[in-house]
Amino acid sequence: MIHDVAHIGHVELLTPKPTESLRFFEEVLGMEVEARQGQSVYLRGWGDYQRYSLKLTESERAGLGHMAMRAWSAEALERRVAAIEATGLGQGWIDGDVGHGPAYRFSDPDGHAFELYFETEKYTPPEHLRPSLKNQPQRYVGRGAAVKRLDHVNVLALEVEANRAFAQERLGFRLYERIELDDGTEAGAWLSLTIAAHELIYVKDALGLQGRLHHVALWVDTREEVLRAADLFLDNGIEIEAAPSKHAIAQGFFLYGFEPGGNRVEVTTGGYFVYDPDPEPTVWTEAERAKGQAWGVKTVESFHTYGT
Amino acid sequence: MIHDVAHIGHVELLTPKPTESLRFFEEVLGMEVEARQGQSVYLRGWGDYQRYSLKLTESERAGLGHMAMRAWSAEALERRVAAIEATGLGQGWIDGDVGHGPAYRFSDPDGHAFELYFETEKYTPPEHLRPSLKNQPQRYVGRGAAVKRLDHVNVLALEVEANRAFAQERLGFRLYERIELDDGTEAGAWLSLTIAAHELIYVKDALGLQGRLHHVALWVDTREEVLRAADLFLDNGIEIEAAPSKHAIAQGFFLYGFEPGGNRVEVTTGGYFVYDPDPEPTVWTEAERAKGQAWGVKTVESFHTYGT
Amino acid sequence: MIHDVAHIGHVELLTPKPTESLRFFEEVLGMEVEARQGQSVYLRGWGDYQRYSLKLTESERAGLGHMAMRAWSAEALERRVAAIEATGLGQGWIDGDVGHGPAYRFSDPDGHAFELYFETEKYTPPEHLRPSLKNQPQRYVGRGAAVKRLDHVNVLALEVEANRAFAQERLGFRLYERIELDDGTEAGAWLSLTIAAHELIYVKDALGLQGRLHHVALWVDTREEVLRAADLFLDNGIEIEAAPSKHAIAQGFFLYGFEPGGNRVEVTTGGYFVYDPDPEPTVWTEAERAKGQAWGVKTVESFHTYGT
Amino acid sequence: MIHDVAHIGHVELLTPKPTESLRFFEEVLGMEVEARQGQSVYLRGWGDYQRYSLKLTESERAGLGHMAMRAWSAEALERRVAAIEATGLGQGWIDGDVGHGPAYRFSDPDGHAFELYFETEKYTPPEHLRPSLKNQPQRYVGRGAAVKRLDHVNVLALEVEANRAFAQERLGFRLYERIELDDGTEAGAWLSLTIAAHELIYVKDALGLQGRLHHVALWVDTREEVLRAADLFLDNGIEIEAAPSKHAIAQGFFLYGFEPGGNRVEVTTGGYFVYDPDPEPTVWTEAERAKGQAWGVKTVESFHTYGT
């Protein structure tokens, strides 16, 4: 078991509509603006322990800027960098960014930009965001959907298997569930660094493209808050792609919509914990997958094809 | 059965701290300012069908300004006015107020100022508050506790019995539950105009005073929203008098706190419906009352004595 | 305003699979068997104030046996019987049934069997079902979905308008929402005797048949319980027709499935209260109806055609 | 960082009233009996991946029989055994028990009986408990409170610091929160093996005794289920020690009661995740602790003194 990577620290989303996207994350999802730099705004949920978990950057097209993971320690970081360099996918060190220190940049086999860092700034709230409970990073403001923190990232890949193996072998992700088509192709892999049922998901790109993002998921603590988020999407004119329901895979409770820039965003909760240190991954067949979600809701076509 | 009064339309709260009180109702409870006139601000929940349900008026002391009920029709209004006049508690007609037509002013035996009206303005939302569903009066903005509407009013009275009888006989309230002390004194009465378990409550004034308010309750649809409101009270420095729990009487799920002006405010949901047209009122004895709330939570002393 | 009918007291469902149907209502929905007589079993939710709200009767085909409404008083019952007799739809008095006294039998214009009664037996729980709170009819056992009480009945009709008018004019139902097709046809009517958004619903029969039942709805207090019921349906092999979501019309939160006998059953909560004594009914156009449910979920075809 | 112990696998509770205790865990909490052997019954929640998480053993007095933790691997087990042996607290190997292989028995400094094992039997449900979703170990039966799995164990200790250090240094627990009295004494420590906010808690024994249990906590996924469990405790005559509310420490949502044998049992959910690999433990002072729970609920005296 590799225990060198702790969690996904933040995600950079690219948006061609920065003003509208920012309004969505700030007003509809209820995140706080923690910093601004160049064409980027750095946002946080009230439960994020670091300064931010979402970097929103103006760009010509929507998509994933990069995804950054935090190592367990400086030594763990070095070990992982060595392991990545050995694959030839490493790109080298950068000085860091707002809120964190030196980061090693690389890509997964599919070409998504990843970073690994250890040094980070823990969040210190300004006076108006100081919480009452000292084990909570920030005041609960309760604006809009009031998402708590970044939960997971789902990326599309031409070859799921190679990317899944890279995540397991080089980064230490654990595989909890996967989809295997009738011809033996791996069509999806649900990976985690912790007991949470998923943190990184690879799904086969139906259009045969590379480097695309499927969605970024923000966490709320209860299913009621997901239902409430759906009401907020409705009344704020946010396109709902999939109304609240329960996934069969990973059993997460979801709401999917498109932020104004075009990226798919999920509000999520639920799922289950994997305390088992040697779990046998759950394998879903093509037929089982075709049955739709847990309670029989059919997945809309766009969910299988649209990516950014 | 008298079916002449439909429901409590609005409540006027007096506050010596108008700015802080307004901030509480607008930012913490999430109500909208619908109008301002003189020293008053008129506020609404997103589910109120009339223009407002709360009138907040600057005053030297906290307390109930008045409580206004809407009649079923113009004829029903006339019938009730005649019935009230016969008791000698009538005070006469006023021209109306923001959002409603002529109102008949009177007091209950304990001296609380009541009004009865029929003509009203249905709410028409401005563009930025227009809802997506046409059976909803206003957009769900999701700010703070996001209370939906006024639910019930609890007033203290020197003699519960006389006031309860007045509400039943002159206004047509139905009695669903009551407290009877060992000496036979009526110490509380839960009254309703509908299937809702309570809309108007009379509780014996422990200090022997008259005309005092115990609390005004605002409705949310789920218990999760009451729990969430407690987090918002905590992080906004609102004094929580009683943390979320379940009442034995009426089975309402509650959160009690004090708005900055000093009035007790409840965020409430739950309870049960009384579909039975001839229910036997539930009578609680002194001993049963002493057991505390549904799950054994003891009621804090201030709850029995503090009023405005 | 007619205030003579209080609420729907019980519904009789016909089932060709009495054993399996009984198991569904008792084990999956968590109702209690209160009585048995002939080919019928009488069931109740833990919040029903009368002895039962569901009569399950063995029959060759599934469908509605009859629906019985309780009058406000003996006088109110007489007034309504006179009003119904004047339409020629009356059938005469029956002696009563388990748990209630004399009932007047009649049909709506579409031919559904209705009854009206006043005298009833209030529920007295046996020792093992005695509740802790005296304002609750029965112990909360918490078995399966643990439905609380009967909520509403939805029947199909060849001509919605005639039946809706009959319910309003002869029984005193109030119309809160309706669907009007582009050609002016009334395709659905949501009617209520109380502030609840609906108790009786008429929907146009897509197959042009008469006397069919669309569904019977049982109430739970929270959306979480509806979601939980979906898990129970799934694990008990109950066919889910429509997974939990929110209706645009009436805003109820729903789960639809088929009990083993073939009747559609809904587990429901939510909606809104109509305190307004003179509301303008919400009218939904054909185009608005085609948009699906509140959050954009499309209605499955069977929902528009299947009835019993 | 030590990553050798995965999680607490099961807890053995001793009870002088085995029949009543079993009825509580089976009917009120909704656990399943998986095995019986000698004077013990082995019970499981529907989400436990091993055969059971609770061993209930007849005994003269209530209390903790033992607590067993599962290692990450056979090698990890050996490493931990060596580390424990070095402290002199080791007692040696036992052959195993129902559902798991060889276990190393030892005690913490306070004298609680602990075991460490690796080999285990994954749960295989019988036909009537087979779930619909293949990533779920067992059917969701929905009986009573329907607890999902064992969550955490809270034990009393004469010297918190020594036991906390033992858990950290020998077993690899991480310290997330602690209480420090004004005189510098450590009065409580919240420890975890994962991102969950706590799995093992040490609290100072107010009576100066050793080896006592404070409580065992069973998990449900939502706060609604905790509230529902309170209704079930009420209607089943289970003594509620602390009604549902939110802890300040660890932010767990709780319900405490006493099972018939005398052991304190918690139904819990909520809390937060610690993704941070190098968190600074939150330290609560004596004054902060005296403020009560998150929303100001005062802790009942028995909570500080009663143990088994």
Side-chain angles (χ1 to χ4, degrees):
Chain A
M1 288 299 307
I2 304 166
H3 283 289
D4 284 349
V5 182
H7 67 104
I8 301 176
H10 58 263
V11 168
E12 182 185 24
L13 280 184
L14 308 179
T15 173
K17 297 191 179 174
T19 308
E20 293 85 343
S21 289
L22 178 56
R23 192 197 155 274
F24 169 77
F25 287 106
E26 200 175 0
E27 298 302 323
V28 182
L29 290 193
M31 301 181 84
E32 298 291 332
V33 171
E34 165 62 10
R36 291 173 192 265
Q37 192 178 76
Q39 297 309 98
S40 298
V41 182
Y42 299 78
L43 293 136
R44 54 175 286 104
W46 60 273
D48 283 311
Y49 79 89
Q50 296 177 104
R51 287 182 56 193
Y52 62 92
S53 58
L54 182 69
K55 179 180 178 180
L56 191 63
T57 300
E58 181 171 2
S59 179
E60 280 190 26
R61 295 169 52 175
L64 178 73
H66 77 283
M67 180 184 96
M69 290 162 278
R70 189 168 177 225
W72 269 88
S73 62
E75 299 71 37
L77 176 56
E78 278 176 38
R79 278 193 298 270
R80 286 309 103 209
V81 168
I84 295 162
E85 278 181 336
T87 65
L89 288 166
Q91 295 169 10
W93 291 89
I94 60 165
D95 282 346
D97 194 350
V98 169
H100 71 83
Y104 185 78
R105 210 165 165 100
F106 61 104
S107 75
D108 66 3
D110 201 67
H112 299 97
F114 284 3
E115 289 181 10
L116 209 50
Y117 68 98
F118 172 64
E119 286 173 29
T120 195
E121 289 178 47
K122 306 287 175 84
Y123 179 63
T124 309
E127 181 56 33
H128 74 285
L129 291 177
R130 195 164 300 167
S132 287
L133 296 178
K134 59 202 296 185
N135 53 4
Q136 188 172 305
Q138 177 202 305
R139 172 172 297 192
Y140 176 65
V141 174
R143 185 177 60 245
V147 296
K148 189 173 188 178
R149 57 169 178 78
L150 176 65
D151 187 67
H152 66 266
V153 178
N154 182 319
V155 287
L156 298 172
L158 198 52
E159 303 284 349
V160 168
E161 192 170 356
N163 288 276
R164 186 261 297 160
F166 176 83
Q168 284 182 284
E169 292 157 19
R170 303 294 152 170
L171 301 172
F173 277 89
R174 309 177 67 205
L175 176 66
Y176 291 152
E177 306 200 23
R178 63 190 189 83
I179 301 171
E180 193 176 298
L181 303 186
D182 295 347
D183 65 5
T185 310
E186 194 162 319
W190 279 253
L191 299 148
S192 180
L193 293 159
T194 67
I195 56 170
H198 49 22
E199 295 176 58
L200 176 61
I201 304 167
Y202 277 102
V203 172
K204 191 168 172 51
D205 194 315
L207 303 191
L209 300 173
Q210 279 187 262
R212 296 206 298 162
L213 170 72
H214 190 266
H215 71 267
V216 166
L218 286 311
W219 177 268
V220 289
D221 279 337
T222 65
R223 301 203 282 198
E224 274 295 335
E225 288 168 279
V226 176
L227 300 176
R228 199 178 153 263
D231 284 330
L232 289 163
F233 277 27
L234 181 68
D235 268 356
N236 280 280
I238 301 302
E239 185 189 342
I240 293 174
E241 185 188 30
S245 199
K246 179 178 169 176
H247 279 301
I249 301 181
Q251 298 197 16
F253 196 73
F254 62 80
L255 162 68
Y256 291 98
F258 297 105
E259 58 91 15
N263 294 294
R264 183 187 283 108
V265 173
E266 179 185 5
V267 177
T268 190
T269 191
Y272 59 88
F273 294 147
V274 181
Y275 282 101
D276 187 354
D278 61 346
E280 189 63 31
T282 301
V283 183
W284 302 83
T285 65
E286 204 167 330
E288 287 166 344
R289 182 65 167 158
K291 279 206 251 171
Q293 300 308 326
W295 298 320
V297 174
K298 296 296 173 199
T299 311
V300 295
E301 182 55 25
S302 61
F303 198 77
H304 294 307
T305 54
Y306 184 87
T308 49
Chain B
M1 289 297 307
I2 303 165
H3 284 289
D4 284 349
V5 182
H7 68 103
I8 300 176
H10 58 264
V11 169
E12 182 185 24
L13 281 183
L14 307 179
T15 174
K17 297 191 179 175
T19 309
E20 294 85 344
S21 290
L22 178 56
R23 193 198 154 273
F24 169 78
F25 287 106
E26 201 175 358
E27 298 301 324
V28 182
L29 290 193
M31 300 180 85
E32 299 291 332
V33 171
E34 164 63 9
R36 293 171 190 266
Q37 190 177 78
Q39 296 311 98
S40 300
V41 182
Y42 299 78
L43 294 135
R44 54 176 285 104
W46 60 274
D48 283 311
Y49 79 89
Q50 294 176 107
R51 286 184 54 193
Y52 62 91
S53 58
L54 182 69
K55 179 180 178 180
L56 191 64
T57 300
E58 180 170 4
S59 179
E60 280 192 24
R61 295 170 50 175
L64 178 71
H66 76 284
M67 180 183 94
M69 289 162 278
R70 188 166 178 226
W72 270 87
S73 63
E75 300 70 39
L77 176 56
E78 278 175 38
R79 278 194 297 270
R80 287 310 103 209
V81 168
I84 295 161
E85 278 181 337
T87 66
L89 289 165
Q91 294 168 13
W93 290 90
I94 60 165
D95 281 346
D97 195 349
V98 168
H100 72 84
Y104 185 78
R105 212 169 164 99
F106 62 103
S107 76
D108 66 3
D110 201 68
H112 299 97
F114 283 3
E115 289 181 10
L116 209 50
Y117 68 99
F118 171 65
E119 286 174 27
T120 196
E121 290 178 44
K122 306 288 175 82
Y123 178 64
T124 309
E127 181 56 32
H128 73 285
L129 292 176
R130 195 164 301 167
S132 286
L133 296 179
K134 57 203 294 185
N135 54 4
Q136 188 172 304
Q138 179 203 302
R139 174 172 296 195
Y140 177 65
V141 173
R143 185 177 61 245
V147 296
K148 190 173 187 176
R149 56 170 178 79
L150 175 66
D151 187 67
H152 65 265
V153 178
N154 182 319
V155 287
L156 299 170
L158 199 51
E159 304 285 349
V160 168
E161 192 170 356
N163 288 276
R164 184 261 298 161
F166 177 83
Q168 285 181 283
E169 293 158 18
R170 303 294 152 172
L171 301 172
F173 278 88
R174 310 176 67 202
L175 177 66
Y176 290 152
E177 306 199 22
R178 64 191 190 83
I179 301 171
E180 191 176 299
L181 302 186
D182 294 348
D183 65 5
T185 310
E186 193 163 318
W190 279 253
L191 299 147
S192 180
L193 293 160
T194 66
I195 56 170
H198 49 21
E199 295 176 57
L200 177 62
I201 305 167
Y202 277 102
V203 172
K204 192 169 170 51
D205 194 314
L207 303 191
L209 299 174
Q210 280 186 261
R212 296 206 297 162
L213 171 72
H214 191 266
H215 71 266
V216 166
L218 286 311
W219 177 267
V220 289
D221 279 336
T222 66
R223 302 204 281 199
E224 275 295 335
E225 288 169 278
V226 176
L227 301 174
R228 196 176 155 265
D231 284 331
L232 289 164
F233 276 27
L234 182 68
D235 268 357
N236 280 281
I238 301 301
E239 185 189 342
I240 293 175
E241 184 188 31
S245 200
K246 179 178 168 176
H247 279 301
I249 301 180
Q251 299 197 16
F253 195 74
F254 62 79
L255 161 68
Y256 290 98
F258 298 105
E259 58 91 15
N263 295 295
R264 183 187 284 108
V265 172
E266 179 185 5
V267 177
T268 190
T269 192
Y272 58 88
F273 294 145
V274 182
Y275 282 102
D276 188 353
D278 62 345
E280 190 62 33
T282 301
V283 183
W284 301 84
T285 67
E286 205 166 328
E288 287 166 344
R289 182 67 169 157
K291 279 207 250 172
Q293 300 309 327
W295 300 318
V297 174
K298 295 297 173 198
T299 311
V300 296
E301 182 56 24
S302 60
F303 198 78
H304 294 308
T305 54
Y306 184 86
T308 50
Chain C
M1 288 299 308
I2 303 166
H3 284 288
D4 284 349
V5 182
H7 68 103
I8 300 176
H10 58 265
V11 168
E12 182 186 24
L13 280 183
L14 308 179
T15 173
K17 298 191 178 175
T19 308
E20 294 86 342
S21 290
L22 178 57
R23 191 198 155 274
F24 169 78
F25 287 107
E26 201 175 359
E27 298 301 324
V28 182
L29 290 193
M31 301 181 84
E32 299 290 332
V33 171
E34 165 61 9
R36 292 171 191 266
Q37 192 177 77
Q39 297 309 99
S40 298
V41 182
Y42 299 77
L43 294 135
R44 52 175 288 103
W46 60 274
D48 283 312
Y49 78 89
Q50 293 177 106
R51 286 182 57 193
Y52 62 92
S53 58
L54 182 70
K55 180 180 179 179
L56 190 63
T57 300
E58 181 171 2
S59 179
E60 280 191 25
R61 294 169 52 175
L64 177 73
H66 76 284
M67 179 183 97
M69 290 162 278
R70 188 167 177 225
W72 269 87
S73 63
E75 300 70 37
L77 176 55
E78 279 175 37
R79 277 193 299 271
R80 286 310 103 209
V81 168
I84 294 161
E85 279 182 336
T87 65
L89 290 165
Q91 295 168 10
W93 291 89
I94 61 164
D95 281 347
D97 195 351
V98 169
H100 70 84
Y104 185 77
R105 207 162 169 105
F106 61 104
S107 76
D108 65 4
D110 201 68
H112 299 97
F114 284 3
E115 290 181 10
L116 209 50
Y117 67 98
F118 171 64
E119 286 174 29
T120 195
E121 289 178 47
K122 306 287 175 81
Y123 179 63
T124 309
E127 182 56 34
H128 73 284
L129 292 177
R130 196 164 298 166
S132 287
L133 296 178
K134 58 202 294 186
N135 53 4
Q136 188 172 305
Q138 177 202 303
R139 173 172 296 193
Y140 177 65
V141 174
R143 185 177 60 245
V147 296
K148 190 173 189 178
R149 56 169 177 78
L150 175 65
D151 187 68
H152 66 265
V153 178
N154 182 320
V155 286
L156 298 171
L158 198 52
E159 303 284 349
V160 169
E161 191 170 356
N163 288 276
R164 185 261 297 160
F166 176 83
Q168 284 181 286
E169 291 158 19
R170 303 294 152 172
L171 301 172
F173 278 88
R174 309 177 68 204
L175 176 66
Y176 290 152
E177 306 199 22
R178 64 190 190 85
I179 301 171
E180 192 176 299
L181 303 186
D182 294 348
D183 65 4
T185 310
E186 194 162 317
W190 278 252
L191 298 148
S192 180
L193 292 160
T194 67
I195 56 170
H198 48 21
E199 295 176 57
L200 176 62
I201 305 168
Y202 277 102
V203 172
K204 192 169 172 50
D205 194 314
L207 303 191
L209 300 173
Q210 280 187 261
R212 297 206 298 163
L213 171 72
H214 190 267
H215 71 266
V216 166
L218 286 312
W219 177 268
V220 290
D221 278 337
T222 65
R223 301 204 282 200
E224 274 296 335
E225 288 168 278
V226 176
L227 300 175
R228 198 177 153 265
D231 284 331
L232 288 164
F233 276 27
L234 181 68
D235 268 356
N236 280 280
I238 300 302
E239 185 189 342
I240 293 174
E241 184 188 30
S245 199
K246 179 178 169 177
H247 279 301
I249 301 180
Q251 299 197 15
F253 195 72
F254 62 81
L255 162 67
Y256 289 98
F258 297 105
E259 58 90 16
N263 295 294
R264 182 188 283 108
V265 173
E266 179 185 5
V267 177
T268 189
T269 192
Y272 59 87
F273 294 147
V274 182
Y275 282 101
D276 187 354
D278 62 346
E280 189 64 30
T282 301
V283 183
W284 302 84
T285 65
E286 205 167 326
E288 287 166 345
R289 183 64 167 159
K291 279 207 252 171
Q293 299 310 327
W295 299 320
V297 175
K298 296 297 173 199
T299 311
V300 295
E301 182 55 25
S302 61
F303 198 76
H304 294 308
T305 54
Y306 184 87
T308 48
Chain D
M1 288 299 306
I2 304 166
H3 284 289
D4 284 349
V5 183
H7 68 104
I8 300 176
H10 58 264
V11 168
E12 182 185 24
L13 281 183
L14 307 179
T15 173
K17 297 191 178 174
T19 308
E20 295 86 344
S21 290
L22 178 56
R23 193 199 153 273
F24 169 77
F25 287 106
E26 201 175 358
E27 298 301 324
V28 183
L29 290 194
M31 301 180 84
E32 298 291 332
V33 171
E34 165 61 10
R36 292 170 191 266
Q37 191 176 79
Q39 297 310 99
S40 299
V41 182
Y42 299 78
L43 294 135
R44 54 176 285 105
W46 60 274
D48 283 312
Y49 79 89
Q50 293 177 106
R51 287 184 54 193
Y52 61 91
S53 58
L54 182 70
K55 179 180 179 179
L56 191 63
T57 300
E58 181 171 3
S59 179
E60 280 190 27
R61 295 169 50 176
L64 179 72
H66 77 283
M67 179 184 97
M69 288 161 280
R70 186 165 179 229
W72 269 87
S73 63
E75 300 70 38
L77 176 56
E78 279 176 37
R79 277 194 299 270
R80 287 309 103 209
V81 168
I84 294 162
E85 277 182 337
T87 65
L89 289 166
Q91 294 168 11
W93 291 90
I94 60 165
D95 281 346
D97 194 351
V98 169
H100 70 84
Y104 186 77
R105 210 165 165 100
F106 62 103
S107 76
D108 66 4
D110 201 69
H112 299 96
F114 284 2
E115 288 181 11
L116 209 49
Y117 68 99
F118 171 65
E119 286 173 28
T120 196
E121 289 179 45
K122 307 287 175 83
Y123 178 63
T124 309
E127 181 56 32
H128 73 285
L129 291 177
R130 194 163 301 167
S132 286
L133 295 179
K134 58 202 295 185
N135 53 3
Q136 188 173 303
Q138 179 202 303
R139 174 172 296 194
Y140 176 65
V141 174
R143 186 177 60 244
V147 296
K148 189 173 187 177
R149 56 168 178 79
L150 176 66
D151 187 67
H152 65 265
V153 178
N154 182 319
V155 287
L156 298 171
L158 200 52
E159 304 284 349
V160 168
E161 192 170 355
N163 288 277
R164 185 261 298 161
F166 176 84
Q168 285 181 285
E169 293 158 17
R170 304 294 151 172
L171 300 172
F173 277 88
R174 309 177 67 204
L175 176 66
Y176 291 152
E177 307 200 23
R178 64 191 191 84
I179 301 171
E180 192 177 299
L181 302 186
D182 294 348
D183 66 4
T185 310
E186 193 163 317
W190 278 253
L191 299 147
S192 180
L193 292 160
T194 66
I195 56 171
H198 49 22
E199 294 176 57
L200 177 62
I201 305 167
Y202 277 103
V203 172
K204 192 170 171 50
D205 194 314
L207 303 190
L209 300 173
Q210 280 187 261
R212 296 206 299 162
L213 171 72
H214 191 266
H215 71 267
V216 166
L218 286 311
W219 177 268
V220 289
D221 279 336
T222 66
R223 303 205 281 199
E224 274 296 334
E225 288 170 279
V226 176
L227 301 175
R228 200 177 152 264
D231 284 331
L232 289 163
F233 276 27
L234 181 68
D235 268 357
N236 279 281
I238 301 301
E239 185 189 342
I240 293 175
E241 184 187 31
S245 200
K246 180 178 168 176
H247 279 301
I249 301 180
Q251 299 197 17
F253 195 74
F254 62 80
L255 161 68
Y256 290 98
F258 297 106
E259 58 91 16
N263 294 294
R264 183 187 283 107
V265 172
E266 179 185 6
V267 177
T268 190
T269 193
Y272 58 88
F273 295 146
V274 182
Y275 282 102
D276 188 353
D278 61 346
E280 189 62 31
T282 301
V283 183
W284 301 83
T285 66
E286 205 166 329
E288 286 166 344
R289 183 67 168 155
K291 278 207 252 172
Q293 300 308 326
W295 300 318
V297 174
K298 296 297 173 199
T299 311
V300 295
E301 183 55 25
S302 60
F303 198 77
H304 294 307
T305 54
Y306 184 87
T308 50

